[in-house]
Amino acid sequence: MNNVINIPVVKKITSCMLAISAALSLLAGCGNKTPETVETAPETTVPTTVAETTETTPETSAFVTYTAQEYRDAGVNELNSVPILMYHRIYGMTNAETSYTGGNVDKDGYNRTSEAFEADLRSFYAQGYRMMRLTDFVDGYIDVPFGYSPLILTFDDGIRDVVLQGWKDDGTPEFDPTCAIGILEKIKAEYPDYNVTATFFLNAQLFENGEDNDRKILKWMVDNGYDIGNHTRDHIKLGGCSAEEIEKQIGYMYKKLDEIIPGQYVNIVALPFGSPETMGPEHPEYEKIFEGTYEGFNYTTKASLLCAWTRSYSPFVRDYENRRIRRIRAYDNGGVYWDIEDNFKQLNDGKRFISDGDPNTIVFPSSDNSSGDWLKTTFGHQVITYDK
């Protein structure tokens, strides 16, 4: 049921808003794309009519309600943008050991130093971002505390993201502390409220720790809050491929993951090189990314990710597309041309998704959907608006 309630509603268990502090030591790297204009919700002003009493939604909820003033004070807006970070390899290096800008390990900034990656995570936390699972985002289930903003981490290729040093006596893996998973586990222990998680998109070679080791690692990862997705068998551009080749590239990886972690991987594809960027009816072969059969194994894909350069739309708005979800290339470029610092500067300047704390409601200022066509999909959630 998609009831729309305008005024002060829902008050959750958490308190107050974040202080958008921070030292943006924001860094990272992705492909060279042409920047596009990022659409934001309309800023049309409407008359303010604030009711000072508290209403509850018609549906029973485990969450308490907030007033319109509390929404205003926290800046709650679930039609705004969400940062989905795209990382590749994390190297055990300091920034001073690279020849490139900031924490970039290569000229284009696809790969990052361990110093820079750890600094990224601490900076995002300080700015009031909290991690969530990519698959929940795709399903429109934004489970982030009141007043905080969702943050999603993704890793492509797998190489150097999980570096195994050995196995402990209890059968758990010992990771290189400077690889991605080593740093994530360190941050998880320090910040229990950060909800540390990430989705790792793999090719046929997995993490390159040896097939037997990687199979055990994958089982440990899904048991410890991480997700595994599909990055094709051979990391080739799917744009221009035949339907048969696409089925092989996508189907092979799904089949392999299903053998190792049956029912525990995510049906999401990170498109190598972001190709194809568009999948219109003139290219019916691209449908094989989303449904097909490989060696008798049937697969479906619910979303695909671009190798993009900027924040994602909220899953609730008109311009969001499951088949071309945008990501922020995690690289340093002096705060310009869509690097981490540039993206977060824009997000923190009134464009970031700020949660109402209830994954079953969508809350935003009524003026941001004044045209009536910005909110597109509610996933069956309760819609609540308030006047700015």
Side-chain angles (χ1 to χ4, degrees):
M1 129 180 224
N2 298 331
N3 295 338
V4 179
I5 297 180
N6 181 307
I7 57 187
V9 208
V10 255
K11 169 171 202 158
K12 266 99 209 177
I13 303 153
T14 326
S15 39
C16 25
M17 172 61 183
L18 47 112
I20 301 175
S21 60
L24 288 176
S25 42
L26 305 158
L27 333 119
C30 170
N32 295 324
K33 306 263 186 191
T34 303
E36 69 178 32
T37 301
V38 179
E39 236 181 293
T40 56
E43 294 296 330
T44 309
T45 304
V46 296
T48 302
T49 53
V50 181
E52 296 304 334
T53 56
T54 300
E55 289 186 9
T56 55
T57 64
E59 299 178 358
T60 303
S61 173
F63 302 95
V64 196
T65 52
Y66 284 102
T67 65
Q69 187 59 52
E70 288 170 310
Y71 285 140
R72 281 194 292 272
D73 290 346
V76 171
N77 192 331
E78 300 188 311
L79 300 188
N80 271 352
S81 300
V82 174
I84 302 177
L85 275 294
M86 182 186 72
Y87 289 96
H88 284 77
R89 305 180 188 188
I90 304 298
Y91 285 84
M93 301 170 63
T94 65
N95 294 353
E97 292 177 296
T98 78
S99 304
Y100 304 101
T101 303
N104 299 342
V105 174
D106 58 290
K107 178 175 69 72
D108 295 320
Y110 282 93
N111 305 303
R112 200 142 178 76
T113 68
S114 53
E115 177 188 354
F117 177 55
E118 183 172 337
D120 291 347
L121 299 184
R122 295 184 186 281
S123 176
F124 302 149
Y125 181 87
Q127 294 174 70
Y129 291 87
R130 296 296 180 264
M131 296 188 207
M132 66 168 293
R133 299 177 67 203
L134 173 64
T135 187
D136 286 342
F137 173 82
V138 169
D139 292 339
Y141 190 81
I142 315 294
D143 192 8
V144 173
F146 176 81
Y148 290 87
S149 298
L151 170 74
I152 297 168
L153 301 186
T154 65
F155 293 84
D156 290 2
D157 302 351
I159 305 167
R160 289 222 44 90
D161 290 330
V162 176
V163 179
L164 182 70
Q165 289 188 328
W167 296 94
K168 301 176 185 176
D169 292 341
D170 62 1
T172 58
E174 182 82 49
F175 298 118
D176 181 335
T178 65
C179 74
I181 195 74
I183 294 169
L184 287 166
E185 285 294 290
K186 174 183 178 180
I187 296 295
K188 182 191 292 185
E190 289 186 35
Y191 303 102
D193 64 329
Y194 205 171
N195 190 34
V196 171
T197 184
T199 303
F200 293 80
F201 290 96
L202 302 183
N203 307 116
Q205 83 282 349
L206 304 178
F207 294 113
E208 294 195 337
N209 291 295
E211 184 79 11
D212 289 343
N213 282 330
D214 279 342
R215 285 173 174 263
K216 290 169 65 178
I217 288 169
L218 285 173
K219 292 172 183 175
W220 179 90
M221 290 177 72
V222 297
D223 287 341
N224 285 271
Y226 300 101
D227 286 320
I228 307 297
N230 190 329
H231 199 38
T232 75
R233 189 185 80 166
D234 300 311
H235 199 277
I236 66 172
K237 287 186 178 181
L238 298 181
C241 284
S242 67
E244 182 181 20
E245 180 63 26
I246 292 172
E247 270 190 316
K248 181 177 76 174
Q249 290 295 325
I250 301 293
Y252 173 91
M253 274 313 299
Y254 277 138
K255 188 170 187 280
K256 185 178 183 75
L257 293 177
D258 198 65
E259 290 169 356
I260 303 170
I261 45 175
Q264 293 182 290
Y265 55 93
V266 296
N267 288 71
I268 302 175
V269 173
L271 299 167
F273 310 101
S275 176
E277 289 195 12
T278 57
M279 290 168 256
E282 69 277 17
H283 298 295
E285 64 273 20
Y286 297 155
E287 287 302 312
K288 293 300 181 181
I289 295 171
F290 299 94
E291 187 171 0
T293 302
Y294 173 75
E295 293 186 347
F297 181 80
N298 299 320
Y299 65 85
T300 58
T301 297
K302 67 179 181 179
S304 62
L305 306 179
L306 297 177
C307 176
W309 60 97
T310 192
R311 58 193 180 271
S312 171
Y313 293 107
S314 163
F316 310 130
V317 305
R318 180 186 65 219
D319 288 353
Y320 170 80
E321 297 178 56
N322 259 10
R323 294 189 171 201
R324 53 193 316 270
I325 299 173
R326 306 188 308 189
R327 296 186 283 177
I328 294 170
R329 175 160 58 115
Y331 85 123
D332 284 326
N333 195 42
V336 298
Y337 200 73
W338 307 93
D339 70 350
I340 294 182
E341 183 178 351
D342 187 23
N343 269 288
F344 276 81
K345 191 183 301 177
Q346 294 181 46
L347 281 161
N348 295 340
D349 189 24
K351 293 180 173 65
R352 64 194 272 178
F353 183 118
I354 297 180
S355 175
D356 75 317
D358 187 342
N360 301 303
T361 57
I362 303 171
V363 178
F364 54 89
S366 55
S367 58
D368 279 10
N369 193 43
S370 58
S371 64
D373 67 352
W374 185 245
L375 175 67
K376 181 181 76 172
T377 306
T378 65
F379 295 88
H381 300 334
Q382 183 87 52
V383 176
I384 299 167
T385 66
Y386 64 95
D387 296 330
K388 279 187 176 179

